[in-house]
Amino acid sequence: MPVEILVIPLIVALACALPIGALARPLAVLGGLIVAADAAAGLWLGYGVSSPMDPAIGSILGADGFSGAMLVLTGVLFATGAAASTGVRSPRGYFALWSLLQVTVSGVFLARDLVLFFIFWEAMLVPLALLMWLWGGADRRAATFRFVLYTMTGSALFLIGIIALGVGAGTFSIPALAGYRLSEGSQIAFAVLFLAAFAVKLPLFPFHGWLPRAYAAAPLPVALVLSGIVAKTAVYGIARICVPLFPLGMSDLAPGLVALAAVGTLYGALLATRQCDTRGLIAFSSLSHLNLIGLAAVLGTVEAARAVIVASVSHGLVVAALFLLAGMLASRTGSSAFATGGLAARAPVLAMFTTFAIVAAIGVPGTSGFAGEFLVLASAYVRFPGAGLVATLVVIVAAVYGVRFLRATFFGAGAARGDDLSRRERAILIPLFVLILVVGLAPWTLTDSVRLVTAQTAELHR
């Protein structure tokens, strides 16, 4: 299973580089769907409760329930983003880089060796930066430079930590390192070095300086995967590397990290209320939700690990729907500003779909947003009730910016223009909404598949 998840998008990338013209986008969509189906089959067959190692690969690559859930999300979002990538310049180069990005993201979730993890982690930056630089908006160069600078600074510290840990332990195998004994002080030092990379990529407050400009300048599908799944590689790194390898260090750092995440959750939501641009709203709303997920990731408990999985999948699906709808709104109004008004009368289906996406982002019961937020907040209250209370306030603030956006965009006396959603647009959105409902109504479809993995790797506070 690990090999084909990497080989399939790699073959697609090579095929897209050939003079195949209009076939590049369908191939990229197909590559994402095959990866999602393969990973979903693995979850269904229960590799999350068996040995995570593939005998043919040894300890280098492997998948379990946690990484399997992230791989399903990876395939879904890359297929969705490819389907939404219409009318791009130089489609061969674009979709080749797109599929290469999928390879690197999948590699992060499959790596069971720190050196291989770092290789995939750094390799993500190349196609991602090129997609932003070559196909982004007016501010693409400054935004890309800032993103690369932030990321490489964190990665340099990460590399120092990997080399020092691997040389000292005599192995770079992640499962083997979980049993390596380190003093409490050493665990703190290594946890800080590793978190330097993960906190920036997430991004954890206050390391978010690159986020608003990157989300605004990147092509819409690239912004979709950047927020929906690339950020989850950092969550995965915290939950599956920092917590199991440095339990005492993460326990000592947890109060400060939880405080930063709680502040970031509320800070991002408050800034979202000040936005008059759809992408800006999504950027700061996403910052808020990512910090909420990060709060759970650093807790190191079984309940928090399960919350991380549900919240991560939920956020990926919801933010993908929001970015797609933002593009559909901009194509009809001619602007990303949402103070246009009156659009509901002209495009009722668009208004309905957007309302559903906002409701899911707010966290209304029955949607995946509620399931993820509830599990995160419940796990936070157990360890840090004060931080949990601060993070809970985001529900109120989210309702404010959500209602404000819907009212300004779809109601009022503005000049309504633009047609309703086409069949192709509905076909892209509907699968996301179905998955949002499935996760919201049956979150155990995710948590049950990883129950033994979380019990074995995430129990930090006993």
Side-chain angles (χ1 to χ4, degrees):
M1 173 265 185
V3 175
E4 58 263 31
I5 281 183
L6 296 179
V7 170
I8 290 169
L10 182 59
I11 292 174
V12 171
L14 294 174
C16 289
L18 300 174
I20 58 175
L23 291 177
R25 184 162 68 96
L27 278 177
V29 174
L30 182 61
L33 292 177
I34 292 174
V35 167
D38 194 344
L43 282 176
W44 181 263
L45 294 174
Y47 61 64
V49 296
S50 61
S51 173
M53 300 305 156
D54 187 327
I57 304 301
S59 61
I60 297 177
L61 295 174
D64 52 33
F66 197 156
S67 55
M70 294 298 100
L71 288 168
V72 173
L73 181 64
T74 300
V76 169
L77 295 193
F78 271 92
T80 301
S85 299
T86 57
V88 296
R89 295 177 290 102
S90 304
R92 289 166 50 195
Y94 176 92
F95 287 109
L97 289 171
W98 180 266
S99 297
L100 282 176
L101 180 58
Q102 183 180 344
V103 172
T104 59
V105 171
S106 299
V108 169
F109 294 129
L110 290 171
R112 293 295 180 265
D113 179 273
L114 281 180
V115 174
L116 189 61
F117 183 96
F118 183 79
I119 290 172
F120 281 121
W121 177 269
E122 285 300 288
M124 278 194 302
L125 187 61
V126 178
L128 188 56
L130 288 174
L131 286 167
M132 291 174 60
W133 185 277
L134 298 174
W135 285 273
D139 191 38
R140 64 185 183 277
R141 295 186 178 179
T144 303
F145 179 78
R146 175 174 291 197
F147 173 64
V148 170
L149 182 62
Y150 269 76
T151 302
M152 293 188 68
T153 301
S155 294
L157 297 175
F158 186 26
L159 180 60
I160 293 172
I162 289 175
I163 294 173
L165 179 62
V167 171
T171 180
F172 291 97
S173 169
I174 295 174
L177 286 169
Y180 182 59
R181 300 295 181 182
L182 287 168
S183 67
E184 187 171 352
S186 297
Q187 288 195 29
I188 293 173
F190 279 116
V192 170
L193 289 173
F194 281 49
L195 285 169
F198 300 146
V200 169
K201 189 67 69 70
L202 184 60
L204 183 70
F205 176 86
F207 306 103
H208 64 282
W210 60 268
L211 181 143
R213 295 180 71 173
Y215 280 24
L220 188 144
V222 176
L224 183 156
V225 296
L226 177 59
S227 178
I229 193 61
V230 172
K232 305 310 185 308
T233 60
V235 176
Y236 182 81
I238 295 171
R240 297 307 306 278
I241 296 180
C242 289
V243 169
L245 268 55
F246 319 118
L248 294 177
M250 289 298 293
S251 180
D252 291 341
L253 294 172
L257 294 172
V258 167
L260 288 177
V263 171
T265 299
L266 188 57
Y267 171 80
L270 288 172
L271 286 183
T273 64
R274 304 287 298 173
Q275 303 305 305
C276 295
D277 177 271
T278 308
R279 285 216 190 184
L281 175 74
I282 298 172
F284 288 107
S285 171
S286 186
L287 173 65
S288 175
H289 284 90
L290 289 170
N291 273 263
L292 187 65
I293 298 169
L295 188 156
V298 302
L299 290 176
T301 62
V302 173
E303 294 76 14
R306 292 171 179 167
V308 166
I309 298 166
V310 176
S312 295
V313 172
S314 170
H315 174 261
L317 297 172
V318 173
V319 81
L322 287 173
F323 270 117
L324 291 176
L325 288 163
M328 295 169 187
L329 283 167
S331 68
R332 285 160 172 79
T333 63
S335 170
S336 60
F338 55 72
T340 54
L343 195 57
R346 188 73 181 267
V349 176
L350 175 59
M352 179 185 68
F353 278 26
T354 306
T355 301
F356 181 86
I358 292 294
V359 162
I362 294 172
V364 172
T367 65
S368 63
F370 173 78
E373 287 182 7
F374 179 82
L375 291 173
V376 169
L377 294 173
S379 62
Y381 271 110
V382 174
R383 290 278 300 146
F384 301 99
L389 177 61
V390 172
T392 303
L393 297 176
V394 76
V395 177
I396 300 173
V397 183
V400 172
Y401 67 68
V403 172
R404 176 173 173 266
F405 165 71
L406 292 174
R407 180 180 178 183
T409 303
F410 293 102
F411 304 99
R417 22 180 204 149
D419 298 326
D420 211 341
L421 294 180
S422 66
R423 291 183 178 179
R424 185 188 66 83
E425 290 171 328
R426 299 183 195 190
I428 296 174
L429 287 168
I430 287 174
L432 293 176
F433 290 148
V434 170
L435 291 173
I436 289 170
L437 287 174
V438 169
V439 175
L441 296 174
W444 58 84
T445 55
L446 291 174
T447 57
D448 284 359
S449 66
V450 294
R451 60 188 181 277
L452 292 187
V453 175
T454 55
Q456 292 167 359
T457 63
E459 187 61 51
L460 203 164
H461 307 290
R462 300 189 179 200

